[in-house]
Amino acid sequence: MANILCIGAGYVGGPTMAIVAKHCPHHRVVVVDSNATRIAAWQSADLPIYEPGLEEVVLGARDRNLFFSTEVNRHIAEADVIFVSVNTPTKSFGQGAGKAADLQFWEKTARQILENSTSPKIVVEKSTLPVRTAEAMEYILNSNTRGLHFDVVSNPEFLAEGTAIRDMEQPDRVLVGGRETPSGQKAVEVISEIYANWVPKERIIATNIWSSELSKLAANAFLAQRVSSINAIAAICEKTEAHVVEVAHAIGLDRRIGPNFLKASIGFGGSCFQKDILNLVYLCEYYGLYEVANYWEQVIKMNDHQQSRFVSNMVSTMFNTVAGKRIALFGVAFKANTSDTRESPALNVCRALLEERAELVLTDPHALANARADLGALAQRITFEPDPYVAAKGAHAIALLTDWADYAKLDYSQIYQNMVKPAFIFDGRNLLNHRQLHEVGFNVHAIGKPPLTHSANNGYAGNQRF
Ligand code: UDX
Ligand code: UDX
């Protein structure tokens, strides 16, 4: 039996360790966090994050071989393997502000491990980190004068929120990067063995530690780049009467391109894509690779542009003013099936519409509490309404911002009856049946598609070709 510890009970640490505990009943898994409220929630019936399938896994293992605690120091002392999953946000101050990763929690955790260890340990980097962070980690940990040896292993997580449990249960691959020394290789084996309890061996890949660190940044950069690429094509579609869904389908059938991650949208959000690309950009600049840095930065610029384009389209379509108009925003989570609103494009749309003095009603099945917290003082100017029918009542427009499947199942003719006419719907996720909505009476504006309107001249720039 091994004592496995995870420091950081967030979106990554919690679900990851729940799956480890499920498949390794012979190991003891403890998840600690400095945030006592979060730990209390993990111990309660009301888990701190919404993730399909998570509750069942947690309830199955909790208090058997899965424990949540705030006693960080005691559990560090007892652990053989320590996963570190604390947050590494974009730095907001000093050198590298706005791009580099803020490693203060990471370093603090390394020192905490050092202070409380009386036996050798394997320390696993689970948080996304700049390349060569392991070097600093090793340096701090092995600076001890007690003769303790620490091996640092990189094991990035690739789970996506909303499908975290499935991604952990059936990962495309598990990456374990270690030093090419005998003890480094042994550490890679120990970590690989944990995963081998449920992941086929051929999917567990051992690499050198720097490749592993960089692969995480590279994977997220490639994924985000696909979203920005299809969104760039969507912008051209709107000017040319091409349909982005048809274009995505046509290009996705090319096996070299593939069909996934080609959904045009109001842009990507989430805690990882932007942060990791900025991190990559900073790394490139640090190494003097300025052209490479500019290349990746463009992925973020295109994403920002997509959101401002969406808002401009809304304003120009609604007769160049939304001031004082009630607008219902359907969805604020950064994607469906999560309560997470970090870097949600919906929040950017929300802020931009407030600038235009629109009267906003925000609805979402799971993310309203997080949205309220994120919006801070602005929240006072917004109505939060869990029921989409109530949210849309009396509105001039609906903007669909998160791809919750339930939003496709609403009775839009009932919704239409209760809206101000002409009623507009802006589908920022291409989720709805646009033809049907048009038949109901809506003026329908989607991403990368010609609008379906009831007026030949409603001011929408997309009608004017070239
Ligand atoms: C985190 C990182 O942000 C991401 O880069 C990485 O890929 C995976 O881990 P996430 O789990 O989504 O992602 O972050 P978050 O939900 O913020 O959880 C981090 C937890 O660490 C928080 O609960 C926080 O309280 C805790 N923490 C942070 C500590 O316990 N100690 C600290 O010193 C700092
Ligand atoms: C991502 C990576 O997928 C995951 O491997 C990594 O560990 C963490 O970062 P996540 O941010 O949870 O996961 O969600 P993801 O499904 O990748 O979606 C990111 C954003 O892109 C969402 O806002 C989503 O709506 C958007 N997106 C995704 C699109 O707009 N179009 C697409 O085709 C796919």
Side-chain angles (χ1 to χ4, degrees), residues 389-456:
Y389 291 97
V390 178
K393 209 169 184 178
H396 289 250
I398 294 170
L400 186 138
L401 306 178
T402 306
D403 47 342
W404 289 105
D406 281 353
Y407 289 154
K409 298 177 195 149
L410 301 175
D411 178 350
Y412 283 94
S413 59
Q414 186 192 329
I415 287 176
Y416 178 77
Q417 301 303 327
N418 292 323
M419 285 177 68
V420 176
K421 310 296 177 320
F424 297 91
I425 195 151
F426 299 89
D427 186 351
R429 296 284 183 170
N430 286 344
L431 179 83
L432 307 175
N433 184 331
H434 300 146
R435 193 140 307 276
Q436 234 170 46
L437 290 172
H438 186 240
E439 278 162 18
V440 160
F442 281 104
N443 291 301
V444 187
H445 297 261
I447 302 276
K449 282 174 130 188
L452 298 172
T453 67
H454 293 282
S455 145

Side-chain angles (χ1 to χ4, degrees), residues 8 10-12 33-34 38 87-88 108 127-128 157 275 342:
Y11 284 89
V12 171
D33 202 293
S34 53
R38 217 167 211 195
N87 41 335
T88 50
K108 196 193 102 206
S127 306
T128 307
E157 83 8 77
K275 169 175 75 90
R342 288 178 294 177

Side-chain angles (χ1 to χ4, degrees), residues 226-253 257-267 302 306 309-310 313 427-432 434 445-451 460:
R226 275 177 82 94
V227 177
S228 276
S229 295
I230 198 67
N231 282 339
I233 296 298
I236 310 173
C237 288
E238 286 168 30
K239 299 286 182 200
T240 58
E241 292 180 30
H243 288 213
V244 75
V245 178
E246 291 177 355
V247 175
H249 180 63
I251 64 172
L253 286 173
I257 296 172
N260 298 321
F261 251 75
L262 284 179
K263 274 198 211 124
S265 65
I266 44 163
M302 181 52 64
Q306 188 69 357
R309 216 168 61 73
F310 184 76
N313 277 350
D427 186 351
R429 296 284 183 170
N430 286 344
L431 179 83
L432 307 175
H434 300 146
H445 297 261
I447 302 276
K449 282 174 130 188
Y460 177 57

Side-chain angles (χ1 to χ4, degrees), residues 356-376:
E356 294 290 338
R357 306 198 176 167
E359 199 188 292
L360 298 184
V361 189
L362 209 51
T363 186
D364 191 288
H366 288 281
L368 287 185
N370 282 337
R372 191 191 286 274
D374 288 343
L375 287 162

